[in-house]
Amino acid sequence: MVDREQVRPLAPHLDGRLSSDDDETASRLMKKIRRTKYIKCCGCMTGLFLVIAVVIVILIFTVFRVKDPKIKLNGFTIIKLELVNGTIPKPGINITLLADISVKNPNVASFKYSNTTTSLYYRGDLVGEARGPPGRAKARRTMRMNITLDLITDRLLSNPNLRADAAGSGLLTMDSYSRIGGRVNILNIFKKHVTVKMNCSMTVNISSQGIYDQKCKRKVDL
């Protein structure tokens, strides 16, 4: 009886130690599982952010990249021209020209531009100028406009080369300069101020009132 009573207290002590070891092992296992989940979650979030960043960079350099609007002078039409002896413009009378200009917008957003200015030169002298109204070229569309330009006859006649050119070949070499300034706004995030400039040279036949050999060069300032 004495031996049995001495052995009995040892059983609860061993059970308590085994239970404590199990709890500690389970705790370490749960921490390891949580750490693994945390690492996987961080990895997924990092991968997602990288994918989003790559997509944004690709869009910036492709779809959302601001492209240069293109301005084109389709031609001049002489509406009003009065001549003396069929060769020299009549003094005091303005010559009216109609400039057909188109603005092509290759962007995914509209191109809003301010007043359009067009100047006409003869042998370096400014002989006419016109201003077109502001407007908006829709995304990936081309907008055409007609600008009426009054050529000041007195300035043209004051050029000493006019009589020789008119009486000889009847051809006048003239230059035009057009300027359009505006802004491309994509999703209110990508904004770009754009100024399109165009220089053109042409030959005007006074007798037939036709315009030939028109050549233009375009320049864009961003």
Side-chain angles (χ1 to χ4, degrees):
M1 294 294 293
V2 174
D3 294 338
R4 291 180 180 177
E5 291 178 357
Q6 291 178 347
V7 172
R8 285 178 183 176
L10 297 176
H13 178 72
L14 292 173
D15 292 342
R17 187 172 59 187
L18 291 174
S19 177
S20 176
D21 291 341
D22 291 343
D23 290 343
E24 186 176 351
T25 302
S27 177
R28 285 199 300 267
L29 182 61
M30 290 300 296
K31 289 182 179 179
K32 184 177 181 180
I33 292 174
R34 285 196 295 267
R35 188 183 304 111
T36 302
K37 289 183 178 180
Y38 178 76
I39 293 174
K40 289 182 178 180
C41 182
C42 290
C44 291
M45 293 298 294
T46 303
L48 179 61
F49 285 133
L50 287 175
V51 171
I52 294 174
V54 170
V55 171
I56 291 175
V57 170
I58 292 174
L59 290 176
I60 290 175
F61 286 98
T62 55
V63 179
F64 293 153
R65 182 173 65 88
V66 178
K67 302 176 183 177
D68 301 342
K70 298 179 181 179
I71 179 176
K72 181 181 179 182
L73 177 61
N74 301 305
F76 273 107
T77 302
I78 301 176
I79 299 176
K80 180 181 176 184
L81 174 59
E82 296 183 31
L83 302 176
V84 177
N85 298 325
T87 57
I88 302 298
K90 187 176 180 179
I93 300 298
N94 286 349
I95 301 172
T96 303
L97 303 176
L98 188 65
D100 179 11
I101 297 177
S102 61
V103 180
K104 182 179 181 180
N105 179 23
N107 294 285
V108 295
S110 61
F111 171 57
K112 185 178 181 181
Y113 55 87
S114 55
N115 292 332
T116 304
T117 59
T118 301
S119 304
L120 192 65
Y121 297 86
Y122 171 65
R123 290 188 176 270
D125 292 339
L126 178 65
V127 294
E129 191 171 16
R131 293 176 65 86
R136 182 190 300 269
K138 296 182 180 180
R140 294 177 177 173
R141 297 289 181 86
T142 299
M143 181 178 179
R144 298 185 69 164
M145 67 184 82
N146 291 322
I147 299 178
T148 301
L149 189 149
D150 290 329
L151 193 150
I152 305 172
T153 311
D154 292 342
R155 291 186 182 180
L156 183 63
L157 293 175
S158 63
N159 193 298
N161 300 289
L162 176 64
R163 292 187 178 275
D165 291 341
S169 62
L171 302 177
L172 302 182
T173 300
M174 309 193 77
D175 301 301
S176 68
Y177 171 76
S178 299
R179 181 183 183 277
I180 295 179
R183 185 179 67 177
V184 177
N185 187 348
I186 301 177
L187 301 177
N188 288 325
I189 300 176
F190 307 100
K191 300 178 182 180
K192 200 74 172 181
H193 290 274
V194 182
T195 301
V196 186
K197 304 174 183 178
M198 183 175 61
N199 290 291
C200 297
S201 62
M202 70 201 78
T203 301
V204 180
N205 190 315
I206 296 180
S207 301
S208 64
Q209 300 186 16
I211 297 175
Y212 310 97
D213 299 330
Q214 180 179 296
K215 298 178 181 178
C216 296
K217 292 183 179 180
R218 181 177 58 91
K219 180 182 179 182
V220 179
D221 295 334
L222 300 177

